[in-house]
PDB file of all heavy atoms in Angstrom:
ATOM      1  N   TYR A  91      99.310 109.871  95.152  1.00 96.00           N
ATOM      2  CA  TYR A  91     100.510 110.698  95.254  1.00 96.00           C
ATOM      3  C   TYR A  91     100.448 111.870  94.281  1.00 96.00           C
ATOM      4  O   TYR A  91      99.756 111.811  93.260  1.00 96.00           O
ATOM      5  CB  TYR A  91     101.761 109.858  94.975  1.00 96.00           C
ATOM      6  CG  TYR A  91     101.929 108.714  95.951  1.00 96.00           C
ATOM      7  CD1 TYR A  91     101.720 107.394  95.558  1.00 96.00           C
ATOM      8  CD2 TYR A  91     102.277 108.947  97.277  1.00 96.00           C
ATOM      9  CE1 TYR A  91     101.856 106.348  96.452  1.00 96.00           C
ATOM     10  CE2 TYR A  91     102.422 107.902  98.186  1.00 96.00           C
ATOM     11  CZ  TYR A  91     102.200 106.606  97.763  1.00 96.00           C
ATOM     12  OH  TYR A  91     102.334 105.572  98.657  1.00 96.00           O
ATOM     13  N   GLY A  92     101.180 112.914  94.582  1.00 95.00           N
ATOM     14  CA  GLY A  92     101.199 114.090  93.739  1.00 95.00           C
ATOM     15  C   GLY A  92     102.047 113.897  92.494  1.00 95.00           C
ATOM     16  O   GLY A  92     102.765 112.905  92.335  1.00 95.00           O
ATOM     17  N   GLY A  93     101.965 114.871  91.596  1.00 95.00           N
ATOM     18  CA  GLY A  93     102.767 114.841  90.376  1.00 95.00           C
ATOM     19  C   GLY A  93     102.088 114.076  89.259  1.00 95.00           C
ATOM     20  O   GLY A  93     101.018 113.490  89.416  1.00 95.00           O
ATOM     21  N   ALA A  94     102.740 114.088  88.091  1.00 95.00           N
ATOM     22  CA  ALA A  94     102.211 113.373  86.932  1.00 95.00           C
ATOM     23  C   ALA A  94     102.229 111.877  87.194  1.00 95.00           C
ATOM     24  O   ALA A  94     103.281 111.299  87.484  1.00 95.00           O
ATOM     25  CB  ALA A  94     103.052 113.707  85.693  1.00 95.00           C
ATOM     26  N   ASP A  95     101.071 111.250  87.132  1.00 96.00           N
ATOM     27  CA  ASP A  95     100.931 109.815  87.395  1.00 96.00           C
ATOM     28  C   ASP A  95     101.494 109.424  88.759  1.00 96.00           C
ATOM     29  O   ASP A  95     102.008 108.321  88.949  1.00 96.00           O
ATOM     30  CB  ASP A  95     101.610 108.983  86.295  1.00 96.00           C
ATOM     31  CG  ASP A  95     100.985 109.215  84.930  1.00 96.00           C
ATOM     32  OD1 ASP A  95      99.742 109.090  84.822  1.00 96.00           O
ATOM     33  OD2 ASP A  95     101.717 109.561  83.984  1.00 96.00           O
ATOM     34  N   GLY A  96     101.402 110.362  89.715  1.00 95.00           N
ATOM     35  CA  GLY A  96     101.853 110.060  91.069  1.00 95.00           C
ATOM     36  C   GLY A  96     103.354 109.938  91.210  1.00 95.00           C
ATOM     37  O   GLY A  96     103.847 109.264  92.130  1.00 95.00           O
ATOM     38  N   ASP A  97     104.110 110.643  90.365  1.00 96.00           N
ATOM     39  CA  ASP A  97     105.559 110.436  90.372  1.00 96.00           C
ATOM     40  C   ASP A  97     106.274 111.063  91.568  1.00 96.00           C
ATOM     41  O   ASP A  97     107.468 110.829  91.773  1.00 96.00           O
ATOM     42  CB  ASP A  97     106.198 110.909  89.066  1.00 96.00           C
ATOM     43  CG  ASP A  97     106.090 112.412  88.819  1.00 96.00           C
ATOM     44  OD1 ASP A  97     105.470 113.117  89.644  1.00 96.00           O
ATOM     45  OD2 ASP A  97     106.617 112.877  87.782  1.00 96.00           O
ATOM     46  N   GLU A  98     105.562 111.844  92.402  1.00 97.00           N
ATOM     47  CA  GLU A  98     106.224 112.411  93.576  1.00 97.00           C
ATOM     48  C   GLU A  98     106.628 111.337  94.591  1.00 97.00           C
ATOM     49  O   GLU A  98     107.502 111.581  95.430  1.00 97.00           O
ATOM     50  CB  GLU A  98     105.319 113.451  94.244  1.00 97.00           C
ATOM     51  CG  GLU A  98     105.205 114.730  93.441  1.00 97.00           C
ATOM     52  CD  GLU A  98     104.350 115.791  94.122  1.00 97.00           C
ATOM     53  OE1 GLU A  98     103.960 115.596  95.301  1.00 97.00           O
ATOM     54  OE2 GLU A  98     104.061 116.816  93.485  1.00 97.00           O
ATOM     55  N   VAL A  99     106.015 110.153  94.518  1.00 97.00           N
ATOM     56  CA  VAL A  99     106.435 109.079  95.430  1.00 97.00           C
ATOM     57  C   VAL A  99     107.875 108.660  95.159  1.00 97.00           C
ATOM     58  O   VAL A  99     108.557 108.143  96.053  1.00 97.00           O
ATOM     59  CB  VAL A  99     105.481 107.869  95.304  1.00 97.00           C
ATOM     60  CG1 VAL A  99     105.678 107.130  93.986  1.00 97.00           C
ATOM     61  CG2 VAL A  99     105.672 106.902  96.469  1.00 97.00           C
ATOM     62  N   LEU A 100     108.365 108.913  93.958  1.00 98.00           N
ATOM     63  CA  LEU A 100     109.718 108.475  93.618  1.00 98.00           C
ATOM     64  C   LEU A 100     110.772 109.168  94.474  1.00 98.00           C
ATOM     65  O   LEU A 100     111.772 108.560  94.859  1.00 98.00           O
ATOM     66  CB  LEU A 100     109.996 108.719  92.133  1.00 98.00           C
ATOM     67  CG  LEU A 100     109.068 107.990  91.146  1.00 98.00           C
ATOM     68  CD1 LEU A 100     109.408 108.365  89.708  1.00 98.00           C
ATOM     69  CD2 LEU A 100     109.161 106.483  91.346  1.00 98.00           C
ATOM     70  N   SER A 101     110.557 110.441  94.788  1.00 97.00           N
ATOM     71  CA  SER A 101     111.544 111.155  95.603  1.00 97.00           C
ATOM     72  C   SER A 101     111.623 110.567  97.005  1.00 97.00           C
ATOM     73  O   SER A 101     112.687 110.551  97.627  1.00 97.00           O
ATOM     74  CB  SER A 101     111.208 112.646  95.669  1.00 97.00           C
ATOM     75  OG  SER A 101     109.970 112.853  96.327  1.00 97.00           O
ATOM     76  N   VAL A 102     110.507 110.059  97.524  1.00 98.00           N
ATOM     77  CA  VAL A 102     110.532 109.390  98.826  1.00 98.00           C
ATOM     78  C   VAL A 102     111.279 108.077  98.718  1.00 98.00           C
ATOM     79  O   VAL A 102     112.166 107.772  99.533  1.00 98.00           O
ATOM     80  CB  VAL A 102     109.098 109.166  99.352  1.00 98.00           C
ATOM     81  CG1 VAL A 102     109.136 108.457 100.703  1.00 98.00           C
ATOM     82  CG2 VAL A 102     108.349 110.487  99.469  1.00 98.00           C
ATOM     83  N   LEU A 103     110.958 107.287  97.720  1.00 98.00           N
ATOM     84  CA  LEU A 103     111.618 105.992  97.555  1.00 98.00           C
ATOM     85  C   LEU A 103     113.123 106.146  97.345  1.00 98.00           C
ATOM     86  O   LEU A 103     113.922 105.349  97.857  1.00 98.00           O
ATOM     87  CB  LEU A 103     111.001 105.239  96.377  1.00 98.00           C
ATOM     88  CG  LEU A 103     109.556 104.761  96.561  1.00 98.00           C
ATOM     89  CD1 LEU A 103     109.006 104.202  95.249  1.00 98.00           C
ATOM     90  CD2 LEU A 103     109.471 103.716  97.660  1.00 98.00           C
ATOM     91  N   GLU A 104     113.510 107.165  96.607  1.00 98.00           N
ATOM     92  CA  GLU A 104     114.940 107.386  96.349  1.00 98.00           C
ATOM     93  C   GLU A 104     115.718 107.679  97.616  1.00 98.00           C
ATOM     94  O   GLU A 104     116.927 107.424  97.687  1.00 98.00           O
ATOM     95  CB  GLU A 104     115.109 108.528  95.340  1.00 98.00           C
ATOM     96  CG  GLU A 104     114.721 108.153  93.912  1.00 98.00           C
ATOM     97  CD  GLU A 104     114.556 109.354  93.009  1.00 98.00           C
ATOM     98  OE1 GLU A 104     114.635 110.500  93.524  1.00 98.00           O
ATOM     99  OE2 GLU A 104     114.326 109.162  91.795  1.00 98.00           O
ATOM    100  N   ALA A 105     115.049 108.201  98.644  1.00 97.00           N
ATOM    101  CA  ALA A 105     115.728 108.570  99.886  1.00 97.00           C
ATOM    102  C   ALA A 105     115.725 107.451 100.925  1.00 97.00           C
ATOM    103  O   ALA A 105     116.317 107.618 102.000  1.00 97.00           O
ATOM    104  CB  ALA A 105     115.081 109.826 100.471  1.00 97.00           C
ATOM    105  N   LEU A 106     115.084 106.336 100.651  1.00 97.00           N
ATOM    106  CA  LEU A 106     114.989 105.271 101.651  1.00 97.00           C
ATOM    107  C   LEU A 106     116.232 104.395 101.650  1.00 97.00           C
ATOM    108  O   LEU A 106     116.780 104.060 100.600  1.00 97.00           O
ATOM    109  CB  LEU A 106     113.742 104.425 101.396  1.00 97.00           C
ATOM    110  CG  LEU A 106     112.408 105.159 101.547  1.00 97.00           C
ATOM    111  CD1 LEU A 106     111.238 104.185 101.394  1.00 97.00           C
ATOM    112  CD2 LEU A 106     112.315 105.870 102.896  1.00 97.00           C
ATOM    113  N   ARG A 107     116.652 104.022 102.853  1.00 97.00           N
ATOM    114  CA  ARG A 107     117.849 103.196 103.038  1.00 97.00           C
ATOM    115  C   ARG A 107     117.521 101.857 103.687  1.00 97.00           C
ATOM    116  O   ARG A 107     118.398 101.016 103.836  1.00 97.00           O
ATOM    117  CB  ARG A 107     118.874 103.950 103.900  1.00 97.00           C
ATOM    118  CG  ARG A 107     119.299 105.294 103.320  1.00 97.00           C
ATOM    119  CD  ARG A 107     120.083 105.116 102.026  1.00 97.00           C
ATOM    120  NE  ARG A 107     120.405 106.399 101.405  1.00 97.00           N
ATOM    121  CZ  ARG A 107     119.743 106.916 100.383  1.00 97.00           C
ATOM    122  NH1 ARG A 107     118.695 106.272  99.868  1.00 97.00           N
ATOM    123  NH2 ARG A 107     120.098 108.066  99.860  1.00 97.00           N
ATOM    124  N   VAL A 108     116.297 101.668 104.110  1.00 96.00           N
ATOM    125  CA  VAL A 108     115.875 100.412 104.719  1.00 96.00           C
ATOM    126  C   VAL A 108     115.233  99.540 103.641  1.00 96.00           C
ATOM    127  O   VAL A 108     114.884 100.029 102.561  1.00 96.00           O
ATOM    128  CB  VAL A 108     114.876 100.657 105.866  1.00 96.00           C
ATOM    129  CG1 VAL A 108     115.530 101.454 106.983  1.00 96.00           C
ATOM    130  CG2 VAL A 108     113.616 101.375 105.357  1.00 96.00           C
ATOM    131  N   PRO A 109     115.081  98.231 103.889  1.00 97.00           N
ATOM    132  CA  PRO A 109     114.373  97.396 102.912  1.00 97.00           C
ATOM    133  C   PRO A 109     112.954  97.924 102.667  1.00 97.00           C
ATOM    134  O   PRO A 109     112.256  98.301 103.605  1.00 97.00           O
ATOM    135  CB  PRO A 109     114.344  96.019 103.580  1.00 97.00           C
ATOM    136  CG  PRO A 109     115.498  96.025 104.529  1.00 97.00           C
ATOM    137  CD  PRO A 109     115.608  97.434 105.026  1.00 97.00           C
ATOM    138  N   VAL A 110     112.557  97.937 101.405  1.00 98.00           N
ATOM    139  CA  VAL A 110     111.263  98.497 101.019  1.00 98.00           C
ATOM    140  C   VAL A 110     110.439  97.419 100.317  1.00 98.00           C
ATOM    141  O   VAL A 110     110.890  96.818  99.341  1.00 98.00           O
ATOM    142  CB  VAL A 110     111.427  99.709 100.077  1.00 98.00           C
ATOM    143  CG1 VAL A 110     110.059 100.253  99.669  1.00 98.00           C
ATOM    144  CG2 VAL A 110     112.270 100.786 100.742  1.00 98.00           C
ATOM    145  N   ILE A 111     109.246  97.193 100.832  1.00 98.00           N
ATOM    146  CA  ILE A 111     108.263  96.327 100.185  1.00 98.00           C
ATOM    147  C   ILE A 111     107.170  97.235  99.641  1.00 98.00           C
ATOM    148  O   ILE A 111     106.508  97.936 100.403  1.00 98.00           O
ATOM    149  CB  ILE A 111     107.652  95.316 101.170  1.00 98.00           C
ATOM    150  CG1 ILE A 111     108.742  94.423 101.769  1.00 98.00           C
ATOM    151  CG2 ILE A 111     106.579  94.479 100.492  1.00 98.00           C
ATOM    152  CD1 ILE A 111     108.253  93.571 102.931  1.00 98.00           C
ATOM    153  N   THR A 112     107.002  97.246  98.322  1.00 98.00           N
ATOM    154  CA  THR A 112     105.964  98.071  97.723  1.00 98.00           C
ATOM    155  C   THR A 112     104.825  97.180  97.244  1.00 98.00           C
ATOM    156  O   THR A 112     105.047  96.216  96.505  1.00 98.00           O
ATOM    157  CB  THR A 112     106.513  98.896  96.547  1.00 98.00           C
ATOM    158  OG1 THR A 112     107.549  99.758  97.023  1.00 98.00           O
ATOM    159  CG2 THR A 112     105.412  99.746  95.927  1.00 98.00           C
ATOM    160  N   VAL A 113     103.610  97.493  97.686  1.00 97.00           N
ATOM    161  CA  VAL A 113     102.422  96.736  97.311  1.00 97.00           C
ATOM    162  C   VAL A 113     101.777  97.435  96.116  1.00 97.00           C
ATOM    163  O   VAL A 113     101.367  98.603  96.217  1.00 97.00           O
ATOM    164  CB  VAL A 113     101.430  96.638  98.490  1.00 97.00           C
ATOM    165  CG1 VAL A 113     100.260  95.732  98.111  1.00 97.00           C
ATOM    166  CG2 VAL A 113     102.134  96.125  99.740  1.00 97.00           C
ATOM    167  N   LEU A 114     101.698  96.725  94.996  1.00 97.00           N
ATOM    168  CA  LEU A 114     101.182  97.307  93.760  1.00 97.00           C
ATOM    169  C   LEU A 114      99.687  97.014  93.655  1.00 97.00           C
ATOM    170  O   LEU A 114      99.281  95.901  93.328  1.00 97.00           O
ATOM    171  CB  LEU A 114     101.927  96.728  92.558  1.00 97.00           C
ATOM    172  CG  LEU A 114     103.464  96.827  92.605  1.00 97.00           C
ATOM    173  CD1 LEU A 114     104.077  96.189  91.362  1.00 97.00           C
ATOM    174  CD2 LEU A 114     103.920  98.275  92.758  1.00 97.00           C
ATOM    175  N   HIS A 115      98.870  98.024  93.920  1.00 94.00           N
ATOM    176  CA  HIS A 115      97.426  97.826  93.924  1.00 94.00           C
ATOM    177  C   HIS A 115      96.818  97.931  92.535  1.00 94.00           C
ATOM    178  O   HIS A 115      95.720  97.420  92.307  1.00 94.00           O
ATOM    179  CB  HIS A 115      96.758  98.838  94.859  1.00 94.00           C
ATOM    180  CG  HIS A 115      97.011  98.561  96.307  1.00 94.00           C
ATOM    181  ND1 HIS A 115      96.109  97.894  97.106  1.00 94.00           N
ATOM    182  CD2 HIS A 115      98.080  98.849  97.097  1.00 94.00           C
ATOM    183  CE1 HIS A 115      96.612  97.783  98.332  1.00 94.00           C
ATOM    184  NE2 HIS A 115      97.792  98.360  98.354  1.00 94.00           N
ATOM    185  N   THR A 116      97.496  98.598  91.610  1.00 92.00           N
ATOM    186  CA  THR A 116      96.995  98.726  90.247  1.00 92.00           C
ATOM    187  C   THR A 116      98.099  98.357  89.273  1.00 92.00           C
ATOM    188  O   THR A 116      99.165  98.978  89.266  1.00 92.00           O
ATOM    189  CB  THR A 116      96.520 100.159  89.959  1.00 92.00           C
ATOM    190  OG1 THR A 116      95.406 100.459  90.799  1.00 92.00           O
ATOM    191  CG2 THR A 116      96.093 100.322  88.502  1.00 92.00           C
ATOM    192  N   VAL A 117      97.838  97.316  88.470  1.00 93.00           N
ATOM    193  CA  VAL A 117      98.773  96.890  87.428  1.00 93.00           C
ATOM    194  C   VAL A 117      97.977  96.842  86.132  1.00 93.00           C
ATOM    195  O   VAL A 117      97.139  95.962  85.937  1.00 93.00           O
ATOM    196  CB  VAL A 117      99.390  95.512  87.744  1.00 93.00           C
ATOM    197  CG1 VAL A 117     100.413  95.149  86.671  1.00 93.00           C
ATOM    198  CG2 VAL A 117     100.041  95.505  89.127  1.00 93.00           C
ATOM    199  N   LEU A 118      98.236  97.796  85.257  1.00 93.00           N
ATOM    200  CA  LEU A 118      97.395  97.992  84.075  1.00 93.00           C
ATOM    201  C   LEU A 118      97.878  97.177  82.875  1.00 93.00           C
ATOM    202  O   LEU A 118      99.089  97.022  82.657  1.00 93.00           O
ATOM    203  CB  LEU A 118      97.388  99.472  83.692  1.00 93.00           C
ATOM    204  CG  LEU A 118      96.842 100.437  84.765  1.00 93.00           C
ATOM    205  CD1 LEU A 118      97.080 101.879  84.341  1.00 93.00           C
ATOM    206  CD2 LEU A 118      95.360 100.181  85.010  1.00 93.00           C
ATOM    207  N   HIS A 119      96.913  96.680  82.103  1.00 91.00           N
ATOM    208  CA  HIS A 119      97.257  95.990  80.857  1.00 91.00           C
ATOM    209  C   HIS A 119      97.763  96.964  79.796  1.00 91.00           C
ATOM    210  O   HIS A 119      98.638  96.620  79.001  1.00 91.00           O
ATOM    211  CB  HIS A 119      96.032  95.247  80.307  1.00 91.00           C
ATOM    212  CG  HIS A 119      95.710  93.989  81.029  1.00 91.00           C
ATOM    213  ND1 HIS A 119      94.946  93.963  82.180  1.00 91.00           N
ATOM    214  CD2 HIS A 119      96.042  92.693  80.770  1.00 91.00           C
ATOM    215  CE1 HIS A 119      94.817  92.711  82.590  1.00 91.00           C
ATOM    216  NE2 HIS A 119      95.472  91.930  81.766  1.00 91.00           N
TER     217      HIS A 119
END
Side-chain angles (χ1 to χ4, degrees):
Y91 300 108
D95 298 308
D97 65 358
E98 288 182 8
V99 72
L100 300 177
S101 64
V102 180
L103 292 172
E104 287 165 354
L106 296 185
R107 302 293 175 259
V108 297
V110 179
I111 300 170
T112 299
V113 185
L114 307 179
H115 289 262
T116 296
V117 183
L118 300 172
H119 284 85

